[in-house]
Amino acid sequence: MGCGTQSAPDQHGGQGVTNAALVLEDGRVFRGEAYGATGVSLGEVVFSTAMTGYQETLTDPSYHRQIVVQTAPQIGNTGWNDEDDESSKIWVAGYVVRDPARTPSNWRSKRGLDEELADQGVVGIAGLDTRTLTRHIREQGAMRAGVFSGSGLTDDASMVEQVKASAEMVGANLAVDVTAAKPYVVEAIGEKKFTVAALDLGIKSNTPRMMAARGIEVHVLPLTSSFEDVLKVSPDGLFLSNGPGDPATQDHAIALTKEALGRKLPLFGICFGNQILGRAVGRGTYKMRYGHRGINIPVIDVTTGKVAITSQNHGFALEGTPGEEFSSEFGRAVLSHYCPNDGTVEGVRLLDAPAFSVQYHPEAAAGPHDAAPLFDEFVTLMNEAR
């Protein structure tokens, strides 16, 4: 598909107001209506196939510096509430929807999605053909893009140049932008059974809650924490969180992970944490064509053959073949999970040390609960280590 423009159909099939544009680095321009804040927003354009949970998506730190396209046609039906945020703010760089709800309808709603986007300064665009856009991203790959509206809307050539001048995702060290400024503790619910140090690479709020429900006191530590800082909390285990950016930039987190593995401290990682563990045991990572983002993505455990329908958000993945066993400086390891859609590696398990990780999100409130027992597996590892 070459360069061109798109005029947005209104809700009755005619041509609507086109006072905003989504501009891709390959020169493709999609026209639509301003949604949320107006101005200019630059980032990597990606699509999410989730039909629900847009509030969790928008507040997921893993989406930092990304312009998210929702493939579900209608967004905003349930408005915005004060309970479902996965962090302290909206992290997406920009937001793209086809048919925004005119009036939200949910007993928990406090305000409309467009109002929240505007309040937090998130530049969005509505009314464009998200099916065509998604097919373009699938064929051409995730790429740099910009949402332009209001005074930021200029001629196409100028907007394309702005997009091309923006930073790429490969080589981007973004976890440092989203990590906690200082340590904090999430208390165990009921009897305290374990203490876990959680390295915050962009942790979501529901992750400590899932551990707290299992009697775990979670000490969330900033990315810059040393291994000595980890040991100060007397942890029974180490958790590596999700997060944004290129895992190849995370030398500090990888070194800290190696120290934990060397001491056989039980370790569990998800998403970005899976890539950190993989690199710590000698695997490479690569940028995917358009990544996995949604709450309907199948994953197979190579040991049991069991399929889980998972929530995912990643644009990088581990190199290797599903089921492959290999040697590391910490003993034998196996690439334990994979996505049957494309063969992407989705997990790592060490066979001679108490450590494992998965590429998906077992804590995801917007998704199913197939993967929640992974937290119980982490508990079992810590029990056995005792």
Side-chain angles (χ1 to χ4, degrees):
M1 300 173 109
C3 298
T5 61
Q6 290 278 335
S7 291
D10 64 21
Q11 295 188 17
H12 304 288
Q15 295 301 313
V17 177
T18 55
N19 58 0
L22 173 69
V23 180
L24 309 186
E25 70 172 287
D26 65 0
R28 191 79 186 268
V29 179
F30 291 80
R31 304 289 177 183
E33 301 175 22
Y35 185 62
T38 58
V40 177
S41 179
L42 302 171
E44 179 187 52
V45 65
V46 299
F47 63 86
S48 171
T49 57
M51 297 183 70
T52 62
Y54 58 79
Q55 183 166 338
E56 290 89 343
T57 293
L58 288 164
T59 55
D60 179 354
S62 297
Y63 279 113
H64 176 40
R65 224 173 76 186
Q66 291 181 319
I67 296 170
V68 176
V69 180
Q70 295 282 181
T71 61
Q74 191 168 64
I75 297 295
N77 299 41
T78 55
W80 194 275
N81 62 62
D82 294 327
E83 293 81 42
D84 290 345
D85 290 359
E86 288 288 3
S87 66
S88 61
K89 58 177 281 189
I90 293 176
W91 281 103
V92 304
Y95 202 44
V96 183
V97 301
R98 180 185 180 97
D99 183 13
R102 294 176 179 176
T103 304
S105 177
N106 186 274
W107 66 276
R108 299 168 70 223
S109 177
K110 299 296 183 183
R111 52 202 166 274
L113 171 57
D114 55 340
E115 180 183 348
E116 187 68 22
L117 291 170
D119 286 347
Q120 296 202 36
V122 179
V123 180
I125 182 172
L128 52 74
D129 186 346
T130 51
R131 288 185 299 178
T132 297
L133 173 57
T134 298
R135 290 187 65 178
H136 187 74
I137 297 170
R138 282 177 60 90
E139 292 169 5
Q140 305 301 320
M143 66 185 79
R144 291 172 294 175
V147 181
F148 299 83
S149 62
S151 60
L153 189 64
T154 59
D155 64 277
D156 289 4
S158 297
M159 292 188 292
V160 170
E161 285 306 309
Q162 280 185 259
V163 170
K164 288 183 175 180
S166 63
E168 296 193 39
M169 193 57 68
V170 173
N173 181 3
L174 302 182
V176 68
D177 296 339
V178 302
T179 193
K182 59 183 180 179
Y184 63 92
V185 178
V186 177
E187 301 288 345
I189 297 173
E191 178 190 356
K192 175 187 170 183
K193 300 175 182 177
F194 301 98
T195 300
V196 164
L199 189 65
D200 182 7
L201 299 156
I203 199 167
K204 293 164 66 177
S205 299
N206 203 40
T207 304
R209 285 198 297 262
M210 294 282 281
M211 288 192 272
R214 290 162 171 79
I216 299 172
E217 180 181 277
V218 184
H219 291 250
V220 182
L221 305 179
L223 173 59
T224 54
S225 301
S226 66
F227 193 65
E228 287 68 33
D229 294 326
V230 171
L231 294 179
K232 283 177 184 176
V233 307
S234 301
D236 297 294
L238 174 66
F239 175 76
L240 304 176
S241 81
N242 61 291
D246 187 342
T249 65
Q250 296 304 311
D251 293 343
H252 175 73
I254 294 166
L256 187 147
T257 299
K258 287 184 174 183
E259 291 195 65
L261 294 174
R263 298 200 184 203
K264 295 192 180 297
L265 180 65
L267 187 148
F268 175 34
I270 64 170
C271 196
F272 206 49
N274 175 64
Q275 296 159 16
I276 299 301
L277 176 59
R279 293 188 69 90
V281 296
R283 308 306 298 197
T285 50
Y286 66 95
K287 181 77 162 60
M288 301 172 71
R289 185 175 182 82
Y290 50 82
H292 293 163
R293 296 173 181 88
I295 59 175
N296 50 4
I297 299 169
V299 170
I300 297 177
D301 184 327
V302 298
T303 301
T304 65
K306 184 177 180 180
V307 180
I309 302 302
T310 70
S311 175
Q312 298 194 17
N313 170 19
H314 66 109
F316 290 83
L318 289 175
E319 295 175 344
T321 304
E324 175 188 349
E325 289 195 20
F326 60 96
S327 298
S328 76
E329 61 182 291
F330 308 103
R332 296 173 302 136
V334 62
L335 300 179
S336 57
H337 297 71
Y338 71 98
C339 176
N341 290 348
D342 55 13
T344 299
V345 172
E346 296 276 353
V348 180
R349 185 180 303 278
L350 273 65
L351 303 178
D352 298 320
F356 72 104
S357 60
V358 292
Q359 187 61 66
Y360 46 97
H361 286 260
E363 85 297 334
H369 303 288
D370 296 30
L374 290 168
F375 288 103
D376 299 319
E377 187 173 345
F378 188 31
V379 168
T380 298
L381 277 187
M382 292 188 288
N383 255 326
E384 292 174 348
R386 281 182 172 178

